Amino acid sequence: MKSFEVGTFILRVFLGLSFVIHGLAKFQGGIGNTAGWFDSIGIPGFMAYIVAGIELLGGLMLIIGLGTRYISALLFVIMIAATVKVKLSAGFMGNGQGAGYELDLAFAVIALFLFLNWKSPLSLDAKLANKEAA
């Protein structure tokens, strides 16, 4: 096993776990509250349910390596939108009143990496692709 494959596995599991926690927090904190906050910043409230669902279920799928390319693309879009819509004005490191966009950008970069390198041997994606090729 190559170190690149292990590194890809670590990034995928880390990103998946991070998004499971973020998605779960949106539901535990009251998804209605999150929807209200979305509305307050000019994003339709129903999008909170979609984002939280993608974060929670998509995070679980990333952990096992299923649908990595598609989930990574969705998470990349979510992180870029969060950066532009919410965090950009605070700057890279934050402005003392709110967090900056460095974590969002890091998550976006990891998601982009996984989008480009989705068929890691340590994933269900690779196992399913091998079965289809056989």
Side-chain angles (χ1 to χ4, degrees):
M1 183 154 323
K2 299 175 184 170
S3 59
F4 176 79
E5 295 165 355
V6 173
T8 301
F9 170 77
I10 291 168
L11 285 174
R12 195 187 74 238
V13 171
F14 170 76
L15 190 66
L17 184 58
S18 297
F19 275 104
V20 165
I21 292 167
H22 278 89
L24 192 58
K26 284 177 177 66
F27 284 109
Q28 288 179 330
I31 192 67
N33 293 332
T34 304
W37 181 75
F38 271 49
D39 274 330
S40 76
I41 61 169
I43 299 171
F46 75 88
M47 290 298 296
Y49 295 87
I50 293 170
V51 168
I54 290 170
E55 289 178 352
L56 182 60
L57 298 175
L60 290 170
M61 290 174 70
L62 277 184
I63 290 169
I64 63 173
L66 183 62
T68 301
R69 185 167 224 189
Y70 306 108
I71 298 301
S72 296
L74 291 170
L75 294 175
F76 177 80
V77 169
I78 289 170
M79 289 295 89
I80 294 303
T83 299
V84 171
K85 186 71 177 168
V86 180
K87 303 273 186 95
L88 198 60
S89 62
F92 187 76
M93 295 293 292
N95 59 10
Q97 297 171 352
Y101 60 85
E102 74 279 1
L103 182 61
D104 301 73
L105 190 58
F107 283 169
V109 169
I110 295 169
L112 180 59
F113 174 85
L114 293 172
F115 174 78
L116 297 171
N117 299 282
W118 62 277
K119 216 187 285 188
S120 168
L122 299 173
S123 68
L124 282 179
D125 290 328
K127 305 294 183 248
L128 293 173
N130 287 341
K131 284 185 180 180
E132 290 174 6

